[in-house]
Amino acid sequence: MLVFSYGIPKSGSTLAFELARAVAWLGGHRQRKLPATLLPGDHEVNFAQELVPEVLRSLAALAEGRICLVKTHACPGPDWVAEYRALAARGLVSVHVNHRDPRDICLSLLDAGRLARRRGKQPFSEFVTLEDAVARGRLYLAELAVWNGLPRRLDLHYHDCAFSTDRAIEAIKADLGIDCPNWPARLWATRLAYTHRNKALPNRHLSELTPAQAEWLAGEFAAWLPA
């Protein structure tokens, strides 16, 4: 089965991916690199930069009989979604969707922007102000809504993955149908794997936003926040 692991950038999506990848390994599903013709790019893990229906079919065929994780930040188009639904109905694909408070995502985007500019790197360097992060955050949430509409979906949450890791691992194990000890997956994802870890703090918006900023972001992201 082909399993996509999706999350908004800086939502803790790499941590969620590494947890799932570790569980798959422990269940006997070695995570081999897939052909570069299907997943082009210089990545150490299977990463989809573009979602194409023809590629989806080929990846699902390669993954038949085993569990194969593919990480992505991309937004699927209607044709890809239709192909995914057809394959999902046959039990050939599924998706893990990682969630995080959008206010904390914005703060993490700003951290990434500062680091990128200090290192002279292009990715994330455009995030200079909170307004920059909020504007992109709204676009990211629109893409997240597409993933939220897919069948055969497991919803994961940053707080569980980072701070109640066993809860996230148990959910992943149940979804993948794997019985394994939690501690090796927890050790791999939280201590050994490169997960782009930043501050790794819960509810950053409670202490890092001014009252005016907090009120503004609560309005901007009202539809995505708990009532």
Side-chain angles (χ1 to χ4, degrees):
M1 180 174 62
L2 179 66
V3 183
F4 282 90
S5 181
Y6 168 80
I8 290 174
K10 310 313 296 180
S11 70
S13 56
T14 304
L15 174 59
F17 169 72
E18 291 294 351
L19 284 171
R21 203 159 72 107
V23 169
W25 269 89
L26 291 168
H29 301 271
R30 184 180 177 185
Q31 297 299 290
R32 301 180 179 88
K33 284 296 294 296
L34 294 169
T37 52
L38 298 178
L39 295 175
D42 186 20
H43 299 283
E44 294 184 3
V45 300
N46 291 321
F47 184 80
Q49 300 183 91
E50 185 179 5
L51 301 177
V52 181
E54 295 77 11
V55 172
L56 174 58
R57 284 194 293 271
S58 297
L59 289 173
L62 285 175
E64 229 177 323
R66 61 190 178 98
I67 295 172
C68 181
L69 273 294
V70 173
K71 185 176 185 291
T72 187
H73 293 307
C75 181
D79 292 343
W80 190 94
V81 169
E83 186 64 34
Y84 172 92
R85 288 182 176 276
L87 293 169
R90 297 164 54 196
L92 299 178
V93 295
S94 67
V95 62
H96 294 175
V97 178
N98 192 61
H99 301 268
R100 188 181 187 183
D101 190 305
R103 296 166 294 189
D104 286 356
I105 291 175
C106 288
L107 291 169
S108 190
L109 288 172
L110 290 179
D111 292 340
R114 284 188 288 269
L115 182 61
R117 291 189 296 277
R118 187 164 66 245
R119 293 178 173 177
K121 303 293 186 180
Q122 184 61 34
F124 297 106
S125 62
E126 68 272 24
F127 297 108
V128 179
T129 68
L130 187 59
E131 288 77 8
D132 297 331
V134 170
R136 184 65 62 82
R138 288 196 296 264
L139 297 177
Y140 284 151
L141 290 172
E143 296 176 354
L144 175 63
V146 178
W147 288 95
N148 283 344
L150 296 179
R152 293 182 62 85
R153 184 185 77 253
L154 172 66
D155 290 314
L156 296 169
H157 298 271
Y158 171 74
H159 193 279
D160 288 343
C161 291
F163 309 113
S164 299
T165 310
D166 280 353
R167 183 184 303 170
I169 293 172
E170 289 294 337
I172 292 168
K173 286 163 52 176
D175 181 70
L176 299 181
I178 289 173
D179 184 20
C180 65
N182 289 359
W183 72 263
R186 184 174 62 250
L187 176 65
W188 168 255
T190 62
R191 300 296 181 190
L192 301 178
Y194 180 60
T195 59
H196 305 278
R197 179 182 175 135
N198 186 19
K199 292 185 177 180
L201 296 172
N203 300 317
R204 291 179 54 184
H205 62 279
L206 295 179
S207 59
E208 298 184 29
L209 295 174
T210 67
Q213 289 172 334
E215 183 179 4
W216 175 47
L217 265 64
E220 289 291 318
F221 299 130
W224 297 89
L225 300 178

